[in-house]
Amino acid sequence: MAAESNGAANQPGTADQGYYRHDTPQQDLRVIGKPLRKVDARTKVTGRTGYADNLSLPRMVYMKLLRSTQAHARIRSIDTSAAAAMPGVVGILLGSELPNQFGILPVSNDEHTLAIDRVRFVGDPVAAVAALDEETAWAACRAIVVDYEPLPVIGSPAEALATPEPRIHDYGDEGNVHKYVNLQFGDVERGFAESDLVRQDVFFFEGNTHLPMEQHACLADYDKDHKVTIHSSTQTPHYLHKALTKVLAMPASNIRVIACPNGGGFGGKSDPFNHEVAACAMSRKIGRPVKCSLTREEVFHCHRGRHPVLMKAKIGVRKDGEIQALDFESHLDGGAFGSYGVASTFYTGALQTVTYQLKNYHFRGARYFTNKAPCGPKRGHGTVQPRFALECLLDKVACDLDLDPAEMRLRHLAKRGELTANFMRIGSMGLGECIEKVVAGSGWKERRGKLPFGRGLGLACSSYLSGAGLPIYWNAMPHSGVQLQLDRSGLVTVFCGSTDIGQGSMSVLAYVVAEVLGLDPMKLRIVTADTDLTPVDLGSYSSRVTLMTGNAAMQAAERAKEIVAAAVAEKLEVPKSNLVFADEHVFDAADPSRRMSFAEAVIAAEAKFGTVGTVGSYKPPRSAARFKGGGVGPSPSYSYTAAVVEIEVDPETGQYTIPKIWVAHDVGRSINAALVMGQIEGSVYMGLGEATMEESAYRDRSHKGKRVFLHNQPSMLDYKSPLAVDMPEVVTYIVEDHDPNGPWGAKEAGQGPLLPIMPAVANAVFDAVGVRIDTNPITPERIFAALQSKAKGGEARFGPSDVPAVAWPEPRVVPPPWEGGDGKEVASDAPAPTRSGGKG
């Protein structure tokens, strides 16, 4: 435990200690280091905080966080006395005041609001300061003196394996390994033996970050009723509410979370964050509203972005490309905390089976703690990296077999309604049509392999889930709820806990309800993401909102329609089954002149039944997967995407441009075509950034005999991302393959279209100049290095050659459905754990 030396300022309770509280005598009110003017009869004093209400003392204060400058160190002491004495400082918060840990997953509640005894990465929050303005808060942070004792720095999965002590966390599978996964479906060795071609390769996908336009921000207010309200740019108000309840040790009913419409999230605002908890704690401590807005650099430190993943894939196929066996291994650099990491690890293996038919499958994954900013979910959570590996590998297989990569994929697609090797249930499956669309649009058959040297086409496909089949905290309750209130004016108000992060979820609510009730969507009122007012929705992540919230809204609207129809049928003296809801009226289909306006219909219903309100909810169907780890991957439905990328490479330098992309996405049913197109093309843009330039690299240097390990690019000056002028022409096809589990057949469109872009670029590079780039991003330097190697008679490739040697635990063996499996694991006959790894 760190010794804390911050004088009286760290122990509020009386006015003499420099803090004011609700019970502080008015005559002694002051801020730290600056007494207030004496209160007299002419001064208005607010009842909720007890401070003088005048222009020199604004009611709201600003909070900033002091962050660690060390990658890994023990905290010896924290001296806040100089900061406490600064004029304008009103509160200081240290980690020891908030000992309860939090996290998004119940298996990895490993974060403190502020570091207590140890920091684990550069940027780890150590103290919080509230002041009358941001400049003073920053200055006070710089005045805090922290004495660190450096600890060994772990900068990679290989170092995590080689350095079991000191452990970054006291939990995990062993040493600095957070999680091991070993799952076996069928007999891969038999599959390889029955294959005509067996190929093995190693791939690396560098981590990157979300880069939303809007940075993280929140405003917390602890009131006189001992309740706290926080407005925050969060994607998951329900889970933030849960974290605040735990850390603040307050009744859940005394905490209100209001998620503001986000200026972009992409998964980066899915965790509960330190600044959100600290702002609530600070407001409770000093009795004033507290605002905290992170800088762009701080957002880089919060991170929770894409994991860097090293992968080894071994595949066995028949001469026609039919996959007999796949052995896939992933190694995730998780950073300093758990975040969604356990789920991320499973996701690197879970969805390999829902795109192409796969008979035998062995998946091993490991996530490691390192002293980097924590990784988490980014658009396409956990599935982007393995999709890059698999689609590049399939392109190589097609070339080895002299097959057309598009035709090979078309022959062996997973089947509609199929139960996969790992017990994922496929619903609708429009990938075939997606491939056909982009092949025809791009002139693939006429142009691939026939363009001049330096120009090429690359194809890749993908699949993604429409919401996770299980909640983060397993329970039997609905994943999404919607409540409708029908007013006698004809107004329908829709209440739902989902958060709009730019993907149009509020619009979806309006469209669904309006369609059922025959109303103009613009005339509905939508109230979302307020834990005091709206039913629980688990959040905007995993592309779940359209399907899950849409189904809940449809159920609530159908129930309201039933109530209103009963009253109207009685009033008009027509059969209820004859009634049509359209154009803001309810009328008899046999005689449309017999009608009522919707407002009159609601009045009739209210007169007959009382106040009209309904609820709807949605819970996904039960998964067939019963094995440990089977909770990650099941979804009510899966979306599918195919993309063709055209590329022009300068073989002298490796520089390249992408003039055009064709992308087709199976959305099930498009509820709003403009929104779907926007999501698809936004995914293409983000995928291009990841393919061509984005990476969260770290500097690892030595300075005066000490290791310096910190983020290489924590600003938009150095972290490169495409501009509008870098966006190529995109031809978008919406494929509608109705899914029985979605509202009117709809599936997701917000994440899946990103996945094929990176491997399509890599495959296009090969078609253009004949070299393989097995590391993402696909930079000109890497293309040039591969071309140089090829010219010298070496390998026409750039990429990793091996993976760490790991003593894997015994596999969980689950017989696939076609071998009589029931989704449960069986006793393993496997030998004791053996080491694997080495060259691919």
Side-chain angles (χ1 to χ4, degrees):
M1 179 66 68
E4 294 160 354
S5 173
N6 63 333
N10 194 40
Q11 302 171 6
T14 68
D16 291 337
Q17 291 172 323
Y19 283 77
Y20 55 82
R21 296 168 63 93
H22 296 308
D23 53 356
T24 303
Q26 295 174 6
Q27 288 77 10
D28 294 327
L29 294 176
R30 67 188 71 187
V31 293
I32 295 175
K34 183 178 180 181
L36 299 181
R37 64 185 177 85
K38 187 173 181 179
V39 177
D40 59 31
R42 293 168 296 176
T43 302
K44 178 184 177 183
V45 179
T46 66
R48 62 174 303 284
T49 58
Y51 64 83
D53 188 2
N54 58 61
L55 295 177
S56 66
L57 182 61
R59 183 169 176 267
M60 184 183 77
V61 297
Y62 299 85
M63 187 186 77
K64 291 297 178 183
L65 300 177
L66 174 67
R67 295 179 180 272
S68 169
T69 57
Q70 303 291 312
H72 196 198
R74 192 167 284 113
I75 300 175
R76 291 197 185 105
S77 64
I78 304 174
D79 184 355
T80 64
S81 55
M86 293 179 66
V89 173
V90 298
I92 297 175
L93 196 66
L94 296 180
S96 58
E97 299 173 65
L98 298 166
N100 294 339
Q101 292 178 292
F102 68 95
I104 187 64
L105 299 185
V107 295
S108 53
N109 272 218
D110 56 6
E111 298 185 57
H112 284 103
T113 308
L114 302 165
I116 296 178
D117 56 358
R118 186 153 45 136
V119 292
R120 294 173 170 86
F121 69 101
V122 173
D124 207 356
V126 175
V129 176
L132 299 182
D133 56 74
E134 286 187 304
E135 291 76 12
T136 300
W138 275 127
C141 283
R142 292 192 292 271
I144 295 174
V145 178
V146 183
D147 183 16
Y148 294 108
E149 176 190 337
L151 294 170
V153 174
I154 296 169
S156 68
E159 288 186 4
L161 279 170
T163 316
E165 296 290 341
R167 300 182 74 181
I168 293 177
H169 291 285
D170 294 331
Y171 78 99
D173 284 359
E174 66 174 24
N176 284 303
V177 179
H178 180 195
K179 184 66 180 177
Y180 283 130
V181 177
N182 194 348
L183 295 170
Q184 183 174 315
F185 308 93
D187 188 342
V188 292
E189 294 306 321
R190 183 186 66 207
F192 290 134
E194 295 173 352
S195 298
D196 296 312
L197 171 69
V198 176
R199 183 178 181 112
Q200 181 169 285
D201 284 281
V202 182
F203 302 88
F204 178 65
F205 198 109
E206 180 59 272
N208 49 62
T209 197
H210 315 84
L211 216 66
M213 285 188 180
E214 178 201 39
Q215 294 145 215
H216 299 248
C218 68
L219 173 62
D221 186 11
Y222 187 84
D223 63 28
K224 60 182 177 60
D225 295 323
H226 308 294
K227 295 180 180 179
V228 66
T229 299
I230 179 170
H231 292 74
S232 183
S233 56
T234 177
Q235 294 179 231
T236 54
H238 172 68
Y239 290 120
L240 174 57
H241 185 269
K242 200 172 191 71
L244 290 171
T245 301
K246 181 181 180 185
V247 179
L248 300 177
M250 289 175 59
S253 57
N254 282 16
I255 298 172
R256 182 183 186 184
V257 177
I258 300 172
C260 308
N262 284 198
F266 313 114
K269 298 170 183 175
S270 298
D271 286 69
F273 282 96
N274 310 74
H275 67 280
E276 295 168 318
V277 182
C280 292
M282 183 71 80
S283 181
R284 179 172 66 174
K285 182 172 183 175
I286 66 175
R288 299 172 71 166
V290 174
K291 179 180 179 179
C292 183
S293 300
L294 301 190
T295 65
R296 180 62 66 180
E297 180 176 342
E298 288 183 292
V299 175
F300 275 96
H301 292 315
C302 284
H303 194 43
R304 316 303 160 117
R306 186 122 28 239
H307 286 73
V309 182
L310 182 64
M311 298 159 283
K312 182 170 72 174
K314 181 179 179 181
I315 193 169
V317 299
R318 298 281 197 185
K319 290 180 181 179
D320 66 351
E322 180 185 15
I323 303 173
Q324 300 299 300
L326 176 65
D327 191 332
F328 194 86
E329 189 176 321
S330 63
H331 299 263
L332 292 77
D333 185 339
F337 291 101
S339 184
Y340 284 82
V342 171
S344 307
T345 307
F346 281 105
Y347 270 129
T348 59
L351 298 193
Q352 305 288 53
T353 62
V354 300
T355 316
Y356 311 107
Q357 294 180 50
L358 178 55
K359 295 180 178 179
N360 303 287
Y361 180 44
H362 188 190
F363 167 62
R364 285 160 292 177
R367 185 180 191 265
Y368 306 87
F369 286 125
T370 60
N371 295 119
K372 298 178 180 178
C375 297
K378 185 188 174 185
R379 201 173 197 170
H381 178 203
T383 68
V384 171
Q385 304 94 322
R387 181 57 54 183
F388 173 78
L390 180 60
E391 293 296 317
C392 290
L393 184 59
L394 288 175
D395 199 71
K396 296 179 184 184
V397 165
C399 291
D400 290 345
L401 296 173
D402 197 24
L403 297 174
D404 182 318
E407 289 296 329
M408 187 184 81
R409 286 171 169 84
L410 279 168
R411 289 179 195 153
H412 306 296
L413 298 177
K415 296 179 180 178
R416 176 193 300 269
E418 181 180 52
L419 199 58
T420 67
N422 58 343
F423 290 85
M424 307 292 125
R425 174 69 70 185
I426 298 174
S428 66
M429 210 290 184
L431 182 55
E433 186 177 349
C434 291
I435 295 174
E436 291 166 354
K437 291 281 189 185
V438 298
V439 164
S442 64
W444 171 268
K445 293 180 180 179
E446 299 78 23
R447 301 172 67 217
R448 175 191 167 264
K450 300 168 186 164
L451 295 172
F453 185 75
R455 294 179 60 196
L457 297 175
L459 178 142
C461 302
S462 69
S463 54
Y464 197 65
L465 45 82
S466 298
L470 288 171
I472 290 173
Y473 287 78
W474 288 14
N475 58 64
M477 291 184 283
H479 292 209
S480 185
V482 169
Q483 183 175 356
L484 300 187
Q485 174 184 293
L486 277 64
D487 185 81
R488 61 188 67 173
S489 67
L491 173 68
V492 177
T493 305
V494 184
F495 298 88
C496 181
S498 61
T499 307
D500 201 312
I501 58 173
Q503 86 282 38
S505 63
M506 291 177 70
S507 299
V508 169
L509 281 167
Y511 299 147
V512 170
V513 173
E515 180 71 18
V516 173
L517 297 179
L519 303 175
D520 179 351
M522 299 302 293
K523 295 184 178 179
L524 275 66
R525 188 179 302 281
I526 311 296
V527 179
T528 61
D530 184 330
T531 59
D532 266 16
L533 301 181
T534 59
V536 168
D537 178 85
L538 299 184
S540 292
Y541 63 93
S542 294
S543 279
R544 55 177 300 283
V545 174
T546 293
L547 189 140
M548 297 193 182
T549 297
N551 275 323
M554 183 181 287
Q555 186 183 75
E558 291 287 359
R559 288 172 173 172
K561 182 178 181 180
E562 183 73 15
I563 293 170
V564 173
V568 173
E570 182 179 288
K571 198 83 171 176
L572 296 181
E573 298 180 340
V574 299
K576 188 168 66 171
S577 58
N578 276 21
L579 292 177
V580 175
F581 285 66
D583 298 326
E584 300 184 39
H585 284 78
V586 184
F587 56 86
D588 182 2
D591 181 5
S593 65
R594 297 170 66 83
R595 62 171 50 207
M596 301 174 68
S597 70
F598 184 77
E600 292 169 334
V602 173
I603 290 172
E606 188 170 338
K608 181 176 177 61
F609 299 109
T611 301
V612 182
T614 60
V615 296
S617 59
Y618 178 77
K619 184 168 67 173
R622 187 180 181 190
S623 168
R626 303 285 192 270
F627 56 90
K628 187 173 182 180
V632 177
S635 176
S637 65
Y638 299 94
S639 71
Y640 294 92
T641 313
V644 169
V645 168
E646 183 171 351
I647 200 166
E648 297 176 357
V649 183
D650 181 350
E652 298 298 320
T653 64
Q655 295 283 343
Y656 66 92
T657 58
I658 296 173
K660 196 166 184 177
I661 293 176
W662 296 261
V663 59
H665 181 69
D666 168 24
V667 71
R669 175 73 182 275
S670 173
I671 293 178
N672 181 317
L675 283 178
V676 172
M677 296 279 278
Q679 288 297 303
I680 294 172
E681 292 172 8
S683 291
V684 170
Y685 166 80
M686 183 170 279
L688 275 176
E690 295 194 30
T692 60
M693 62 187 75
E694 294 190 36
E695 54 183 341
S696 294
Y698 274 71
R699 278 181 280 174
D700 194 356
R701 303 284 186 271
S702 178
H703 179 69
K704 295 182 179 180
K706 295 182 179 179
R707 186 177 184 184
V708 178
F709 189 76
L710 69 163
H711 200 297
N712 193 39
Q713 305 160 313
S715 78
M716 291 183 70
L717 290 174
D718 298 306
Y719 183 93
K720 301 304 181 187
S721 182
L723 303 175
V725 295
D726 299 314
M727 188 69 173
E729 180 184 353
V730 178
V731 179
T732 304
Y733 305 96
I734 296 177
V735 172
E736 295 186 304
D737 190 351
H738 182 277
D739 194 277
N741 287 324
W744 294 296
K747 301 192 287 189
E748 78 87 33
Q751 302 190 58
L754 177 146
L755 275 72
I757 303 303
M758 292 73 76
V761 172
N763 294 339
V765 168
F766 177 76
D767 188 46
V769 292
V771 296
R772 294 287 182 184
I773 310 300
D774 291 340
T775 293
N776 195 79
I778 303 151
T779 62
E781 294 84 356
R782 289 166 180 162
I783 296 173
F784 181 75
L787 287 167
Q788 291 291 98
S789 175
K790 180 183 179 183
K792 295 175 181 177
E795 193 176 21
R797 172 184 180 268
F798 183 96
S801 59
D802 58 22
V803 296
V806 172
W808 295 101
E810 187 171 312
R812 297 183 181 277
V813 177
V814 184
W818 42 86
E819 294 180 4
D822 59 1
K824 298 177 182 177
E825 62 187 272
V826 298
S828 173
D829 296 326
T834 57
R835 286 199 172 267
S836 70
K839 289 190 176 182

